Amino acid sequence: METQFLNTFVTVVDQGSMAAAARVLNVTPAAVAQQLRTLERELGATLIARVGRTVSVTEQGSRILERAREMLRAVADLRSVANDSAVSGELRLGACPTALAGMLPDVLARMVDAFPQINVFIKPGYSVDLYRAVEAGDLDAAVVLQAPFPLPKTCEWLLLREEPLIVLAPKSMAGRDPHELLATQPLIRYDRNQWGGRQADDYLRANDIVPRERFELNALNAIAVMVDRGLGVSLVPDWAQPWPEGLQLTRIPLPNPAVPRRIGIVWSRSSVRVRLVTVLLQESKKAVHVGAHPVRDKPA
């Protein structure tokens, strides 16, 4: 049985359609369909139910889905074990959105330059989901926000970056009192359902600031654009570049203490690809300055 066909099956289930799976696998939808038919013929069971352009997993497919995931992880582990004499194999890495666009490309560039035999599978996602994936063994490591709860003993954490809260405002408001802006201007709120957004909400509450809420979303680059368009101000972490180009913004430090947003790497100590994780940690330390991120009142 081709493990690639199992990978195709899992990808179709995860993506929800053959077209989406084809894009992820970099093959044609026809090739995805053919691989699924071959796998179903070998197993003697229908795994995927096709409904228009979407698909759903059948009862038979559900029975083998987790076993298929385990087999794919085992195959990846075999590659690492077979190449034990060299730093090679596939690292399964998760990344939250701001890390994926900000610090991670520099880290990956250093990794592949120093260790060209390393392959990296990257899973984007929110930090809470990526923590679960690392704990479950689906990922070897993830670049995520620091969790507001104790880690299990099977996991470790390395701090890479601290991002203090700032008031993000149009450039024309530079020099104004940040608390006055938060109390009087419409607020584009950083989503309170996310860990970073909760820290912003805690600051508002601690300083008795009742904002005029206008929007709430979990997309920092979009918040920056909305502030530039005059839709309001925002209380956000001073996240890593790149930022959208051409924005006329000012970043105003807060007058009172606030817990910064902390970004780092969580990894599983039980991963068979611990050497790859070690390389990730080493290159991350070199590429990213550890410590407080400076805040300056200047255009972003």
Side-chain angles (χ1 to χ4, degrees):
M1 182 184 300
E2 277 281 350
T3 56
Q4 177 57 45
F5 295 174
L6 281 176
N7 184 53
T8 298
F9 163 61
V10 171
T11 305
V12 169
V13 174
D14 290 343
Q15 297 298 318
S17 76
M18 292 191 188
R23 289 192 291 271
V24 170
L25 297 170
N26 197 28
V27 297
T28 65
V32 170
Q34 178 61 44
Q35 291 177 15
L36 279 177
R37 284 195 295 269
T38 301
L39 181 62
E40 289 175 333
R41 187 164 56 250
E42 290 182 355
L43 294 176
T46 300
L47 306 178
I48 294 293
R50 300 157 181 83
V51 182
R53 295 183 179 181
T54 63
V55 298
S56 61
V57 63
T58 65
E59 182 179 350
Q60 296 96 321
S62 296
R63 291 179 193 146
I64 73 163
L65 181 59
E66 288 309 310
R67 295 288 292 274
R69 294 188 195 277
E70 292 170 6
M71 288 182 65
L72 292 171
R73 286 196 294 266
V75 169
D77 292 345
L78 285 175
R79 187 181 297 115
S80 294
V81 173
N83 292 280
D84 193 56
S85 60
V87 179
S88 62
E90 181 181 77
L91 176 69
R92 298 184 61 83
L93 179 64
C96 64
T98 49
L100 188 59
M103 67 178 71
L104 189 57
D106 290 337
V107 174
L108 295 177
R110 299 182 66 99
M111 285 182 61
V112 299
D113 183 59
F115 303 98
Q117 291 181 297
I118 290 178
N119 298 317
V120 184
F121 167 83
I122 303 173
K123 178 181 178 64
Y126 293 130
S127 293
V128 62
D129 299 321
L130 297 177
Y131 270 95
R132 294 193 190 106
V134 170
E135 186 177 355
D138 296 329
L139 296 173
D140 303 305
V143 185
V144 289
L145 306 187
Q146 186 177 31
F149 50 77
L151 293 181
K153 295 181 179 179
T154 56
C155 294
E156 293 282 355
W157 161 264
L158 172 69
L159 175 65
L160 294 179
R161 177 182 173 86
E162 288 189 334
E163 299 175 337
L165 288 175
I166 57 169
V167 172
L168 193 63
K171 185 179 179 181
S172 60
M173 297 181 182
R176 290 178 59 176
D177 178 81
H179 283 191
E180 181 263 332
L181 290 177
L182 291 171
T184 62
Q185 299 297 314
L187 180 70
I188 305 170
R189 186 187 280 275
Y190 187 24
D191 188 356
R192 285 166 289 188
N193 293 315
Q194 306 302 323
W195 294 341
R198 292 177 197 170
Q199 291 171 328
D201 187 56
D202 288 344
Y203 184 87
L204 293 171
R205 292 175 181 273
N207 290 275
D208 297 321
I209 299 172
V210 181
R212 295 167 49 203
E213 297 186 31
R214 175 170 280 178
F215 305 102
E216 184 168 1
L217 66 160
N218 183 36
L220 292 174
N221 279 347
I223 288 175
V225 174
M226 294 167 75
V227 171
D228 176 72
R229 299 302 190 268
L231 295 175
V233 301
S234 191
L235 181 59
V236 291
D238 196 12
W239 72 95
Q241 294 184 351
W243 285 35
E245 295 184 1
L247 303 185
Q248 298 296 310
L249 303 174
T250 185
R251 307 200 300 263
I252 307 176
L254 295 173
N256 296 335
V259 177
R261 188 175 78 157
R262 297 183 174 95
I263 296 180
I265 299 175
V266 62
W267 73 94
S268 171
R269 294 191 295 178
S270 61
S271 171
V272 299
R273 290 173 288 276
V274 66
R275 288 201 302 172
L276 301 184
V277 174
T278 300
V279 168
L280 170 68
L281 298 175
Q282 291 173 346
E283 298 305 321
S284 297
K285 291 176 185 177
K286 295 175 185 177
V288 181
H289 173 71
V290 178
H293 178 65
V295 179
R296 295 179 294 276
D297 185 5
K298 68 173 190 178

